[in-house]
């Protein structure tokens, strides 16, 4: 695909270099909030495809637009909430001058149930009370970032609450779901397996291929085609997220983490962590 890869680093570059921040945007290593629509409007021109490298929760605040997500057209207006999984290709076809949205971008969370929310491209039209409440989560995340000392952990708790609320809305209302192509379904299945097995993350691609009744080459080709990354890239990415989480919250040793993630020696894991963590 000729889509530009929109990673956390790309968002950082946009926030730091191209758009006045005005306190409306922030970027952690694994969670970002973009509340200033001008960042997207100025730096992501119409008809230019972008592939997102993290899950995103997108809330339309005002105005109207037509976007394509994985080649499916959708009209956006106030109150539309989009859950865009890893690898989603989107581009704006048209949008009104007053069009505004808010975006939360985040790495995979160590919570299996809520991760399943963001493996499928989904959209919903919120009622006015639901819109007001969901928008308030975005505002709380922003306020928390600006005021709390332990803001990283607080922001994640609010994000988890937001996802839990979204799950409740979906349970109450039968939602329209964008159809996924067969290859996209296979990517979603592979990513689900990664999160379901994250407590003892196998680093053998054949392990996942066998569970999906595929051979390793077929799985590798599909994952690379749809997401732009290889299965091993995704395994490494989840490994880094798990290691970071354990270091921050569980106060465990590097040797314990290395054992948990399937590395035979701490030294090899330490080299892996130093190299990959700098890229994530």
């Amino acid at each position: 695909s000729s889509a530009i890869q929109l990673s956390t680093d790309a968002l950082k570059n946009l926030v730091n270099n191209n758009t006045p921040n005005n306190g409306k945007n922030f970027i952690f290593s694994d969670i970002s909030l973009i509340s200033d629509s001008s960042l997207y409007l100025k730096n992501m021109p119409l008809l230019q495809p972008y592939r997102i490298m993290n899950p995103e929760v997108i809330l339309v605040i005002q105005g109207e637009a037509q976007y394509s997500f994985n080649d499916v057209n959708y009209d956006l207006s106030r109150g539309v909430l989009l859950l865009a999984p890893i690898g989603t290709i989107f581009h704006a076809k048209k949008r009104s001058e007053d069009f505004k949205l808010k975006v939360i971008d985040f790495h995979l969370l160590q919570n299996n149930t809520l991760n399943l929310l963001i493996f499928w491209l989904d959209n919903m039209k919120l009622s006015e009370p639901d819109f007001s409440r969901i928008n308030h989560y975005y505002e709380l995340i922003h306020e928390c970032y600006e005021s709390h000392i332990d803001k990283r952990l607080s922001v994640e708790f609010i994000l988890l609450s937001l996802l839990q609320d979204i799950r409740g809305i979906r349970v109450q209302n039968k939602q329209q779901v964008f159809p996924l192509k067969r290859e996209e379904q296979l990517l979603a299945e592979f990513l689900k397996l990664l999160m379901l097995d994250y407590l003892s993350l196998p680093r053998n691609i054949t392990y996942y291929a066998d569970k999906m009744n595929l051979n390793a080459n077929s799985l590798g080709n599909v994952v690379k085609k749809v997401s732009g990354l290889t299965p091993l890239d995704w395994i490494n990415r989840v490994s880094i997220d798990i290691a970071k989480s354990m270091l921050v919250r569980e106060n465990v040793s590097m040797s314990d983490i290395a054992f948990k993630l399937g590395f035979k020696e701490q030294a090899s894991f330490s080299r892996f962590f130093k190299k990959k963590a700098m890229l994530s």
Side-chain angles (χ1 to χ4, degrees):
S1 171
S2 60
I4 295 174
Q5 307 286 12
L6 189 58
S7 63
T8 300
D9 285 341
L11 286 176
K12 285 182 179 178
N13 290 334
L14 290 176
V15 170
N16 294 334
N17 300 326
N18 297 326
T19 305
N21 193 348
N22 299 325
K24 295 183 178 181
N25 311 311
F26 73 79
I27 310 290
F28 286 135
S29 62
D30 55 354
I31 299 177
S32 308
L33 170 66
I34 307 300
S35 295
D36 184 354
S37 296
S38 63
L39 183 147
Y40 277 88
L41 303 185
K42 291 179 180 178
N43 299 295
M44 298 177 192
L46 293 172
L47 305 181
Q48 171 63 60
Y50 294 86
R51 185 194 301 273
I52 63 172
M53 304 309 293
N54 295 319
E56 290 189 351
V57 182
I58 303 168
L59 179 64
V60 181
I61 302 301
Q62 67 178 47
E64 297 179 343
Q66 185 181 78
Y67 274 63
S68 169
F69 292 86
N70 293 342
D71 296 323
V72 177
N73 293 331
Y74 190 66
D75 293 325
L76 304 182
S77 59
R78 173 185 166 87
V80 168
L81 182 72
L82 285 154
L83 303 178
I86 296 165
T88 299
I89 296 178
F90 76 91
H91 65 271
K93 293 194 169 183
K94 59 182 179 180
R95 56 197 175 203
S96 62
E97 291 293 330
D98 63 341
F99 181 69
K100 291 184 179 180
L101 47 73
K102 295 181 180 180
V103 179
I104 295 175
D105 172 291
F106 58 96
H107 282 202
L108 300 177
L109 301 169
Q110 303 312 315
N111 181 308
N112 292 338
T113 302
L114 293 179
N115 271 316
L116 299 183
L117 276 173
I118 42 79
F119 284 125
W120 303 94
L121 184 58
D122 196 7
N123 75 88
M124 59 194 75
K125 178 69 171 181
L126 301 175
S127 66
E128 192 60 33
D130 285 343
F131 170 78
S132 177
R133 188 177 66 258
I134 295 299
N135 185 41
H136 192 53
Y137 283 108
Y138 286 75
E139 295 174 352
L140 281 174
I141 289 175
H142 179 260
E143 292 172 6
C144 184
Y145 170 77
E146 288 202 319
S147 60
H148 286 202
I149 295 176
D150 189 12
K151 52 191 171 184
R152 169 62 185 79
L153 187 57
S154 299
V155 165
E156 179 166 312
F157 280 137
I158 299 172
L159 175 57
L160 288 172
S161 298
L162 166 62
L163 294 178
Q164 182 68 46
D165 200 333
I166 292 172
R167 183 172 66 173
I169 295 173
R170 295 175 73 184
V171 168
Q172 292 177 3
N173 306 288
K174 187 176 182 180
Q175 304 298 334
Q176 175 189 355
V177 178
F178 285 126
L180 292 186
K181 300 175 183 176
R182 173 60 178 164
E183 293 172 334
E184 294 167 342
Q185 292 175 350
L186 290 174
L187 172 63
E189 184 178 347
F190 169 67
L191 296 177
K192 287 180 183 179
L193 287 175
L194 282 185
M195 295 312 302
L196 291 173
D197 290 328
Y198 81 93
L199 289 176
S200 57
L201 191 68
R203 300 185 58 77
N204 185 348
I205 297 173
T206 303
Y207 167 86
Y208 301 99
D210 288 345
K211 282 203 166 188
M212 298 171 64
N213 295 317
L214 298 172
N215 63 54
N217 287 335
S218 296
L219 176 60
N221 291 337
V222 167
V223 172
K224 175 67 174 178
K225 178 180 177 181
V226 177
S227 73
L229 300 177
T230 67
L232 184 57
D233 289 333
W234 284 117
I235 293 171
N236 288 339
R237 182 172 192 168
V238 175
S239 297
I240 289 297
D241 284 352
I242 293 171
K244 287 180 177 178
S245 176
M246 292 178 71
L247 285 170
V248 170
R249 301 179 197 171
E250 301 179 25
N251 195 29
V252 297
S253 67
M254 291 293 280
S255 60
D256 288 339
I257 297 176
F259 176 78
K260 176 183 176 72
L261 296 179
F263 288 83
K264 294 181 179 180
E265 299 177 353
Q266 179 185 337
S268 61
F269 170 72
S270 296
R271 289 193 296 270
F272 162 81
F273 183 82
K274 290 178 181 177
K275 179 180 179 180
K276 298 298 183 180
M278 292 178 64
L279 301 176
S280 64

